[in-house]
């Protein structure tokens, strides 16, 4: 679902992200596969296919990156507006025509077990490990140029962490 009116970020690649909460209110973060430190953690997120609904993209990305299916989660909420970040110059060179990413974010409660995650469900593998973390700590664990978006997501989804 898009906000009414013109696209505020036409030069940004459409993307959807998921914050997955456990019963204790901790959120799932993945350690990016083969990424050099120190900022190797992030929530599941990825590009939206042309014409794809944002929530459908979020659930697809969740499955592709974690192996968690829609049957293992229950919706908690979403952020209706696009949140965006720009790629830094050293990263933008390999991203083609996109200036950055605009993202729609969704929160879900996870009802599966840790053993149900399959980080190799769909190649190429995005994450090599995961852990459950306090929501408010995650923005400081992400690469700095994504932090403003992660702070906004953490603020919006704070009620689900209780």
């Amino acid at each position: 679902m898009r906000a009414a009116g013109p696209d505020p970020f036409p030069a940004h690649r459409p993307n959807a992200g998921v914050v997955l909460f456990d019963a204790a209110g901790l959120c799932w973060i993945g350690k990016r596969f083969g990424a050099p430190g120190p900022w190797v953690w992030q929530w599941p997120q990825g590009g939206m296919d042309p014409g794809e609904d944002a929530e459908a993209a979020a659930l697809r990305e969740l499955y592709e990156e974690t192996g968690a299916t829609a049957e293992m989660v229950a919706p908690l909420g979403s952020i209706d507006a696009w949140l965006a970040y720009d790629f830094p110059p050293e990263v933008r060179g390999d991203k083609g025509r996109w200036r950055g990413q605009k993202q729609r974010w969704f929160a879900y409660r996870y009802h599966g077990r840790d053993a149900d995650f399959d980080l190799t469900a769909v190649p190429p593998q995005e994450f090599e490990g995961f852990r459950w973390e306090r929501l408010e700590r995650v923005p400081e664990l992400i690469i700095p140029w994504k932090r403003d978006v992660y702070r906004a997501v953490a603020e919006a989804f704070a009620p689900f962490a209780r």
Side-chain angles (χ1 to χ4, degrees):
M1 181 176 293
R2 287 182 137 189
D7 184 349
F9 304 105
H12 291 69
R13 178 178 177 241
N15 191 281
V18 173
V19 180
L20 196 61
F21 291 92
D22 70 4
L26 297 175
C27 66
W28 190 102
I29 55 173
K31 183 178 181 189
R32 290 183 52 87
F33 185 80
W39 301 295
V40 298
W41 299 96
Q42 75 174 42
W43 291 314
Q45 64 180 67
M48 293 171 57
D49 295 332
E52 186 176 28
D53 174 78
E55 187 165 18
L59 289 169
R60 176 182 50 75
E61 287 292 332
L62 179 65
Y63 172 71
E64 288 177 358
E65 296 183 359
T66 72
T69 64
E71 293 77 30
M72 297 176 181
V73 301
L76 294 171
S78 65
I79 299 172
D80 292 331
W82 289 111
L83 300 179
Y85 59 81
D86 291 343
F87 297 126
E90 66 273 14
V91 173
R92 189 172 178 195
D94 69 349
K95 300 299 182 191
R97 65 184 176 103
W98 302 114
R99 178 177 170 186
Q101 294 198 84
K102 58 186 173 187
Q103 300 177 314
R104 287 284 317 283
W105 284 92
F106 297 86
Y108 295 95
R109 183 78 61 205
Y110 182 64
H111 296 297
R113 302 168 301 144
D114 283 3
D116 294 330
F117 289 112
D118 179 1
L119 304 183
T120 63
V122 178
Q125 186 175 347
E126 182 75 24
F127 298 115
E128 62 184 52
F130 71 92
R131 72 181 198 223
W132 295 96
E133 182 59 77
R134 290 191 337 261
L135 179 68
E136 68 272 11
R137 285 190 28 86
V138 176
E140 298 309 312
L141 301 173
I142 189 70
I143 198 157
W145 42 274
K146 293 183 181 181
R147 284 188 183 156
D148 287 344
V149 166
Y150 269 56
R151 285 183 185 116
V153 173
E155 182 179 326
F157 291 163
F160 309 130
R162 296 178 180 28

